[in-house]
Amino acid sequence: MKINTINELLLCIMTTLSQTKEIFRRADAVCFDVDSTVIREEGIDELAKFCGVGDAVTEMTRKAMGGSVSFKTALTERLSIIRCSREQVNKLITDHPPQLTAGIKELVDTLHQHNVKVFLISGGFRCIVEHVATQLNIPLHHVYANRLKFYFNGEYAGFDETQPTAESNGKGKVISMLKEKHGFKNVVMIGDGATDLEACPPANAFIGFGGNVIRQQVKERSVWYVTSFGELLKELEKI
């Protein structure tokens, strides 16, 4: 492990609650996880239910989010069970659109008013996440998520394994790229799962979110853990 990586890790671990809040107030970019954070459900679980294989996939999601299996392994196994067609994905979005978590619209609007760049970094599927981004007025080029692949007849053909979000540490790779590309000094990652927590570093701060589901490992390791986006809005009022 490189010295600067070790120093970044120590900074993330040793950051106090007040320092984390200050980084959030001074953030030039805020990155949100999507499933069970920005939206109330896990997109892959909803897709599995829609395709009639909900129970088997929900258990795999719980293991992936808890960090007990690698994200890529869990994603591959879940999709091999679901094997959704393009038509099924489109019908899911039309019939059961993702439900925004209470307060997220106001929070994103407020961040935008403060000229903070907002990104969605998800281990879910781009076709669903883009729908969420549009609802929140987040530019589609600020969306990083996995791409499903389909054959010409619309049948499932796998997923794009080259996307960084398909990897366990993929969210951190995206944040590193964003910092290098845009020169961001203070990047905050907000999410409910293990893959979100692992993104700090390179994120300068992590805020655990338990408004939809509480993952004990994440709660215990978060310096700042919130169960409502209202808590973050209150912090922004101090600016």
Side-chain angles (χ1 to χ4, degrees), residues 6-77:
I6 294 171
N7 290 338
E8 285 179 346
L9 183 59
L10 287 171
L11 281 171
C12 253
I13 294 169
M14 297 173 68
T15 302
T16 64
L17 178 58
S18 61
Q19 287 170 330
T20 301
K21 289 183 175 183
E22 184 182 353
I23 292 169
F24 177 62
R25 290 194 304 270
R26 291 170 44 205
D28 38 19
V30 174
C31 301
F32 288 93
D33 170 51
V34 177
D35 295 333
S36 295
T37 299
V38 168
I39 62 174
R40 289 161 53 191
E41 58 274 294
E42 287 285 331
I44 195 166
D45 290 351
E46 295 303 305
L47 184 58
K49 284 182 210 167
F50 195 73
C51 296
V53 289
D55 290 345
V57 170
T58 298
E59 177 60 18
M60 284 188 188
T61 298
R62 188 187 63 77
K63 287 180 179 176
M65 293 303 100
S68 59
V69 296
S70 80
F71 184 81
K72 194 170 195 174
T73 298
L75 182 62
T76 303
E77 289 178 355

Side-chain angles (χ1 to χ4, degrees), residues 2 6 14 23 32 41 44 49 54 59 65 95-96 110 114-115 124 131 149 151 182 208 227 232:
K2 294 177 182 176
I6 294 171
M14 297 173 68
I23 292 169
F32 288 93
E41 58 274 294
I44 195 166
K49 284 182 210 167
E59 177 60 18
M65 293 303 100
D95 294 358
H96 302 282
T110 303
H114 286 95
N115 295 314
H131 180 83
K149 296 196 292 191
Y151 292 113
H182 300 285
T227 54
L232 303 186

Side-chain angles (χ1 to χ4, degrees), residues 148-203:
L148 292 171
K149 296 196 292 191
F150 301 99
Y151 292 113
F152 68 94
N153 63 356
E155 288 183 3
Y156 175 70
F159 65 97
D160 183 354
E161 297 189 28
T162 66
Q163 295 295 316
T165 47
E167 303 283 352
S168 287
N169 60 347
K171 292 178 182 180
K173 288 178 182 175
V174 172
I175 291 173
S176 289
M177 182 270 295
L178 291 174
K179 290 176 91 168
E180 189 175 328
K181 181 178 179 182
H182 300 285
F184 295 138
K185 300 299 182 195
N186 287 308
V187 177
V188 177
M189 181 73 206
I190 300 172
D192 68 285
T195 57
D196 308 312
L197 180 67
E198 289 166 2
C200 180

